[in-house]
Amino acid sequence: MLIREKYLSQIRDFYNETSLIKIIYGLRRSGKSVILTQIIDEIKAKGIKDEQIIYINFESLDYSFIKNAKDLNDYIKSLVKNKKIYYVFLDEIQKIDDFEKGINSLRITNQFSIFITGSNSKMTFLELSTDLSGRYVSFRVLPLSFKEVVELTNTPKEEYKKLLLDIFEWGTLPQRFSFNNERAKLNYISDVYDSILLKDVVERLNIKDITSFNKILQYVLETEGKEFSVTNVLNYLKQEHHEIANDTLYNYLEALCSTFIMNKVYRYDIQGKSVLKTLNKYYASDLGVKKIKTNNKELNYSIALENIVYNDLISKGYEVFIGKTKKGEVDFVATKNKDLKYIQVCYTLSSDETIKREFGAYDSINDSYEKYVISIDEENYSRNGIKHINVFDFLMNENF
């Protein structure tokens, strides 16, 4: 089992914290439950006894009797036998009505260190009720990073490119690496997304027109990395005989993001230093979804690499935007604390024209922030203060 040190290192300082709820959220099957298991292993190694650990997976029928906040509060408190700290792990808790109230009732006793996971936006600050306002810390878990896949598969450096192409096609959901043949991998990825549609999109978000929802997902995936146009997607749906209202389209797009299938990336006006709410782009949380939800047989390597770089940046703690300049755009503006970096991504700098285009994207930017071009090329093309980085050096470097 791969130790998800990237996330454990962020959460460790809060293991014994009873005043804050630890929220671990992200795409289904991205490894949240495994992280809970690894946290349990670590606190046991520090001497915490089994009787102080309470673990509940709400996808198990064993706990179907817990339906609301009061049921949750009463059941957890019934397991307490002494005044020691109890470590409570609640997996996929969004299934419980008003769970925030139940958790807060436990929190105020100062006897519980509580960890919860969930697979939709109910677990983010955007939707959490005021019962937990200011009383939690949250950690988003993504599918495996390239570096984690290298560690999991023991891939040597000379096979990095082969591994990258495999990820372009199949993504990095952890369990998919358990399967060796294409049919098994395809079935697994299909099952994951069917689960998202059934449990999060249909049941929780109450979206019934799954055909139109899938058509929108297909369109977003097939135009990934391009400026998103509502008019274009409505015209596309009309051609596909799936006309829907504007409000419905926006609801479906929000559902794609709130279930963490896609990430919406806003544009940032580099000259005006402001975030723009129009002409945003979308990137997939896991590239494997393209295998089952698009008709494209040809992989666009540059877009796939953009997607991987984007996911890697947010996994490293950056907030990421599309950069708007006077003459065009920069692929990413990545900010963390007071740090800001500009990043261009290109699969390969295979011609003078490509080199001119990628490095020329910075011509109208006169500030002193670091500027990068990331590609698969091993030759160093750095010039004019713009750093060229081999993509594997970037992906393997946690301190970028």
Side-chain angles (χ1 to χ4, degrees), residues 240-253:
E240 296 288 317
H241 309 290
H242 288 282
E243 293 186 62
I244 61 173
N246 280 31
D247 287 349
T248 303
L249 172 59
Y250 284 117
N251 287 338
Y252 287 10
L253 291 170

Side-chain angles (χ1 to χ4, degrees), residues 41-99:
D41 288 342
E42 290 196 355
I43 64 174
K44 281 185 176 181
K46 293 183 177 181
I48 301 301
K49 304 299 182 183
D50 285 342
E51 54 266 27
Q52 292 172 251
I53 297 171
I54 301 169
Y55 173 84
I56 300 174
N57 186 332
F58 288 104
E59 294 197 320
S60 169
L61 287 175
D62 291 343
Y63 301 100
S64 59
F65 62 90
I66 302 176
K67 301 183 182 300
N68 54 45
K70 188 174 188 310
D71 294 342
L72 177 64
N73 175 76
D74 292 349
Y75 178 68
I76 297 296
K77 287 183 176 176
S78 74
L79 301 177
V80 174
K81 306 301 181 186
N82 52 52
K83 294 185 178 181
K84 294 180 179 179
I85 291 179
Y86 280 70
Y87 296 79
V88 180
F89 299 86
L90 306 173
D91 211 351
E92 298 297 345
I93 197 172
Q94 75 275 358
K95 298 172 73 70
I96 305 303
D97 292 339
D98 294 326
F99 68 82

Side-chain angles (χ1 to χ4, degrees), residues 41-185:
D41 288 342
E42 290 196 355
I43 64 174
K44 281 185 176 181
K46 293 183 177 181
I48 301 301
K49 304 299 182 183
D50 285 342
E51 54 266 27
Q52 292 172 251
I53 297 171
I54 301 169
Y55 173 84
I56 300 174
N57 186 332
F58 288 104
E59 294 197 320
S60 169
L61 287 175
D62 291 343
Y63 301 100
S64 59
F65 62 90
I66 302 176
K67 301 183 182 300
N68 54 45
K70 188 174 188 310
D71 294 342
L72 177 64
N73 175 76
D74 292 349
Y75 178 68
I76 297 296
K77 287 183 176 176
S78 74
L79 301 177
V80 174
K81 306 301 181 186
N82 52 52
K83 294 185 178 181
K84 294 180 179 179
I85 291 179
Y86 280 70
Y87 296 79
V88 180
F89 299 86
L90 306 173
D91 211 351
E92 298 297 345
I93 197 172
Q94 75 275 358
K95 298 172 73 70
I96 305 303
D97 292 339
D98 294 326
F99 68 82
E100 301 101 320
K101 289 182 172 62
I103 289 173
N104 195 44
S105 176
L106 297 170
R107 183 196 64 81
I108 61 177
T109 67
N110 286 320
Q111 193 176 2
F112 300 98
S113 178
I114 303 170
F115 303 78
I116 64 176
T117 77
S119 301
N120 57 47
S121 64
K122 185 66 176 175
M123 311 308 298
T124 71
F125 70 93
L126 294 176
E127 288 197 31
L128 282 169
S129 76
T130 54
D131 292 285
L132 292 187
S133 178
R135 300 179 175 97
Y136 66 89
V137 287
S138 62
F139 310 90
R140 182 179 176 182
V141 175
L142 288 100
L144 300 181
S145 67
F146 181 84
K147 186 173 186 292
E148 287 179 315
V149 175
V150 168
E151 294 170 0
L152 178 68
T153 58
N154 294 312
T155 301
K157 190 171 184 179
E158 58 269 22
E159 294 185 17
Y160 281 2
K161 184 177 179 181
K162 180 182 177 182
L163 178 62
L164 184 67
L165 297 180
D166 178 74
I167 290 172
F168 281 178
E169 185 172 10
W170 296 104
T172 61
L173 290 175
Q175 198 171 343
R176 79 90 168 163
F177 293 96
S178 303
F179 306 106
N180 295 319
N181 67 78
E182 290 196 0
R183 175 53 56 187
K185 286 187 283 189

Side-chain angles (χ1 to χ4, degrees), residues 150-354:
V150 168
E151 294 170 0
L152 178 68
T153 58
N154 294 312
T155 301
K157 190 171 184 179
E158 58 269 22
E159 294 185 17
Y160 281 2
K161 184 177 179 181
K162 180 182 177 182
L163 178 62
L164 184 67
L165 297 180
D166 178 74
I167 290 172
F168 281 178
E169 185 172 10
W170 296 104
T172 61
L173 290 175
Q175 198 171 343
R176 79 90 168 163
F177 293 96
S178 303
F179 306 106
N180 295 319
N181 67 78
E182 290 196 0
R183 175 53 56 187
K185 286 187 283 189
L186 193 62
N187 287 342
Y188 172 69
I189 294 170
S190 297
D191 288 346
V192 170
Y193 286 96
D194 285 346
S195 175
I196 293 171
L197 288 177
L198 175 63
K199 296 179 179 179
D200 295 327
V201 175
V202 175
E203 289 183 6
R204 180 171 182 275
L205 299 176
N206 201 31
I207 289 176
K208 305 299 184 185
D209 187 357
I210 294 302
T211 302
S212 291
F213 182 85
N214 277 322
K215 287 288 183 182
I216 293 167
L217 173 56
Q218 179 181 338
Y219 179 87
V220 171
L221 288 169
E222 291 182 352
T223 59
E224 187 183 31
K226 297 180 181 179
E227 290 178 354
F228 184 81
S229 163
V230 170
T231 301
N232 288 347
V233 71
L234 289 173
N235 288 337
Y236 164 78
L237 290 171
K238 187 174 182 180
Q239 293 170 4
E240 296 288 317
H241 309 290
H242 288 282
E243 293 186 62
I244 61 173
N246 280 31
D247 287 349
T248 303
L249 172 59
Y250 284 117
N251 287 338
Y252 287 10
L253 291 170
E254 180 58 32
L256 286 176
C257 296
S258 68
T259 54
F260 308 114
I261 297 173
M262 303 296 299
N263 295 299
K264 180 192 289 187
V265 188
Y266 291 106
R267 288 161 64 84
Y268 179 83
D269 183 347
I270 293 173
Q271 273 72 38
K273 306 300 181 186
S274 61
V275 177
L276 308 174
K277 297 296 185 180
T278 59
L279 299 176
N280 47 271
K281 295 184 179 182
Y282 290 88
Y283 290 97
S285 292
D286 180 68
L287 287 172
V289 69
K290 289 188 174 184
K291 189 74 175 178
I292 58 170
K293 294 298 182 183
T294 68
N295 295 322
N296 289 346
K297 303 303 179 186
E298 295 290 328
L299 274 171
N300 184 322
Y301 285 7
S302 284
I303 294 298
L305 195 66
E306 264 186 47
N307 202 147
I308 285 176
V309 169
Y310 170 80
N311 288 344
D312 205 72
L313 284 168
I314 61 174
S315 79
K316 287 171 177 170
Y318 285 94
E319 187 174 8
V320 183
F321 304 92
I322 308 300
K324 176 185 176 297
T325 67
K326 291 180 179 179
K327 296 183 178 179
E329 70 175 33
V330 174
D331 288 333
F332 300 124
V333 178
T335 67
K336 181 165 59 174
N337 301 324
K338 294 182 179 180
D339 187 20
L340 185 148
K341 295 180 170 71
Y342 299 114
I343 298 166
Q344 279 288 101
V345 182
C346 178
Y347 184 71
T348 179
L349 299 167
S350 56
S351 66
D352 290 341
E353 182 182 354
T354 303

